[in-house]
Amino acid sequence: MANPVILTIDDDPVVSRAVARDLRRHYGERYRIVRAGSGPEALEALREIKLRGERVALLLADYRMPDMTGIEFLEAAMDLFPAARRVLLTAYADTDAAIEAINVVDLDHYLLKPWHPPEEKLYPVVDGLLETWAATPDAALSEIRVVGHRWSAPSFKVRDFLARNLIPYRWLLTDDPEGARLLAAAGATEDEVPLVVTADGKTLVGPTPAELASVVGLTVEPTTDFYDLVVVGAGPAGLGSAVYGASEGLRTVLVERRATGGQAGQSSRIENYLGFPDGVSGAQLTDRARRQALKFGAEMLTTREVVGLTEGGGARLLRFGDGTEIAAHTVVLATGVSYRVLDAPGLAELTGRGVFYGSAATEAPSCVDQDVYIVGGANSAGQAAVHFSRYAARVHLLIRGADLTASMSRYLIDQLDRIDRITVHPHTRVAAGAGGDHLERLTLCDTRTGEQRTVDTSWLFIFIGAEPRTDWLDGVLVRDSRGFIVTGPDLVTGGQRPPGWSLTRDPYHLETSLPGVFAAGDVRAESVKRVASAVGEGAMAVSLVHRYLEAQ
Ligand SMILES: Cc1cc2nc3c(=O)[nH]c(=O)nc-3n(C[C@H](O)[C@H](O)[C@H](O)COP(=O)(O)OP(=O)(O)OC[C@H]3O[C@@H](n4cnc5c(N)ncnc54)[C@H](O)[C@@H]3O)c2cc1C
């Protein structure tokens, strides 16, 4: 197959040649560098590339061009190559326009001209974007193929798992000729899907996450049974702990039951994380953090759920769902929170078949020209509304309250106001969902009058409050009435340390009621529910781990 394309567009021939030259010098062996002098010319080139079945990895467009601005070009190019990474070349004076473009065309980066020296200003940016692209299904050469039904919850689970773990795959329906051929070759029937065929031809019918993880190259088994530090949960807090723990010489393992990134991995664009003025997608941030942790030598286990924590001979023992155990001197619990289930008739049966919790990024392209309903009034629902508005005909945001001011950041409310396709429905709740093999209708209820109406839709995305799933720590650690883990000074009441506390000192700031076990991020009582604070607590927990180990 031909090398993937990097396309650069600039109406100034001198700049255009200079960009192409710098790109060729560094990427010429692995990518084909294509140069265009205007937006229309570049679109024509993209159409030809599409027809030839080639792949486009990166688009670099100048902002100011006479026929078509760079933003207009990138918007049009998204229809042809949605997975290609998008960069705008701007002059300093145009940075405001570039920032605006982030939401319009989901811009990955804007580069200020001139970008010299490229080793510092161009290549690191392009390297990062090409790596992200390489993890998309579009990039895959000898990729994993998933054959399934459009409306099948098990098929959705497999695709969601692969997407969240940034494993490229190709999705084929059972009635697609290639899908049917693969089913026949694997001796599987339509009723048994999803079928997963790996790059080296292994087939898995209806695999469990653990089976899937092991064939796609994710680590599921620890290399030893004793660590300095076990981090439970690979969201921002857990990744923060893993990066700092491993980089500071602790033998560290990060254990995740699902996919790296946690809630943040589901965010289409995190706008308020320090150091990313133009925002960063959850997948990108997660991917970088994961690679950083691995680089420092942390081990990462995926699809391993921790279900028990006990103390044994000075060590902390963690039990997995399959009954096996690992031990460590110290533990950081970074298990975050999960969405609450929306309790309305019909929704449970249709989950994964039109009803989704979180943004289910794999589904967005299927919503083209359709009506999408989103439940929730917090930032996560707002971000999802902006994201889906790029695909859907209309996005309906259902909220119980009168408006969003109490629950959503101002910048997001303003963004929603500016997008015509989004309608906010105040005082509205979902009373029921109905459909055959997938969601077809929702009954909506006015919370003031009780009046009900039915709407036709196949898409409901739910973002309602979240809760910590910490039942497995019942009787082991002090938790508050909602299940959040209590730490540090909050454990000392009226001068009394927590029951069973065995040391002569008070618990350290993020320490739980079991010495040497720390909690960080959203799962911690009174924590700030933000990416930055989760990462910060993850890092801080490691410094307390050191203090604990030194005192042993
Ligand atoms: C859609 C969305 C958009 C958001 N946007 C923003 C934003 O723009 N800015 C911002 O600051 N914040 C945002 N947030 C909030 C932010 O993502 C969270 O505050 C942050 O992810 C919390 O990190 P955490 O590591 O504490 O927990 P989580 O991200 O919840 O990660 C916890 C991880 O632990 C795993 N886990 C749980 N239990 C176990 C177990 N027993 N065994 C093994 N693994 C387990 C989970 O699978 C999960 O991966 C957003 C949240 C969502 C859902």
Side-chain angles (χ1 to χ4, degrees), residues 233 235-237 256-257 262-263 272 306 335-336 339 380 383 521-522 530-531:
E256 167 57 46
R257 67 170 173 198
Q263 299 167 71
N272 52 3
V306 176
T335 51
Y339 284 113
S380 49
Q383 281 178 10
D522 282 13
R530 288 277 183 272
V531 176

Side-chain angles (χ1 to χ4, degrees), residues 232 255-257 302-308 319-322 472:
V232 186
V255 183
E256 167 57 46
R257 67 170 173 198
T302 315
T303 69
R304 299 306 300 264
E305 179 159 13
V306 176
V307 298
R319 195 173 69 257
F320 293 121
D322 63 1
W472 59 282

Side-chain angles (χ1 to χ4, degrees), residues 146-150 152 154-155 158 171-174 179 183 188-196 204-207:
V146 180
V147 186
H149 288 303
R150 174 76 209 84
S152 136
S155 299
V158 163
W171 167 234
L172 297 161
L173 294 172
T174 47
L183 272 181
T189 67
E190 273 202 32
D191 299 336
E192 292 169 313
V193 296
L195 165 72
V196 177
L204 292 173
V205 179

Side-chain angles (χ1 to χ4, degrees), residues 254-282:
L254 178 60
V255 183
E256 167 57 46
R257 67 170 173 198
R258 232 176 140 201
T260 331
Q263 299 167 71
Q266 297 178 43
S267 170
S268 44
R269 190 158 287 274
I270 299 163
E271 304 260 14
N272 52 3
Y273 187 53
L274 188 76
F276 291 87
D278 39 359
V280 58
S281 76

Side-chain angles (χ1 to χ4, degrees), residues 383-422:
Q383 281 178 10
V386 172
H387 182 63
F388 281 104
S389 71
R390 301 196 184 103
Y391 302 87
R394 291 218 66 76
V395 175
H396 304 269
L397 188 61
L398 311 178
I399 57 168
R400 282 170 170 266
D403 60 39
L404 293 164
T405 44
S407 53
M408 197 178 283
S409 299
R410 189 72 244 171
Y411 80 89
L412 260 178
I413 298 178
D414 292 344
Q415 248 179 52
L416 298 182
D417 281 348
R418 286 198 297 269
I419 304 175
D420 293 341
R421 290 183 187 194
I422 299 177

Side-chain angles (χ1 to χ4, degrees), residues 67 168 171-172 182 202 298-299 309 321 326 335 356 365 409 465 535:
D67 299 326
W171 167 234
L172 297 161
L182 287 173
K202 275 199 204 89
E299 267 180 54
L309 167 67
I326 45 173
T335 51
F356 302 92
S409 299
V535 172

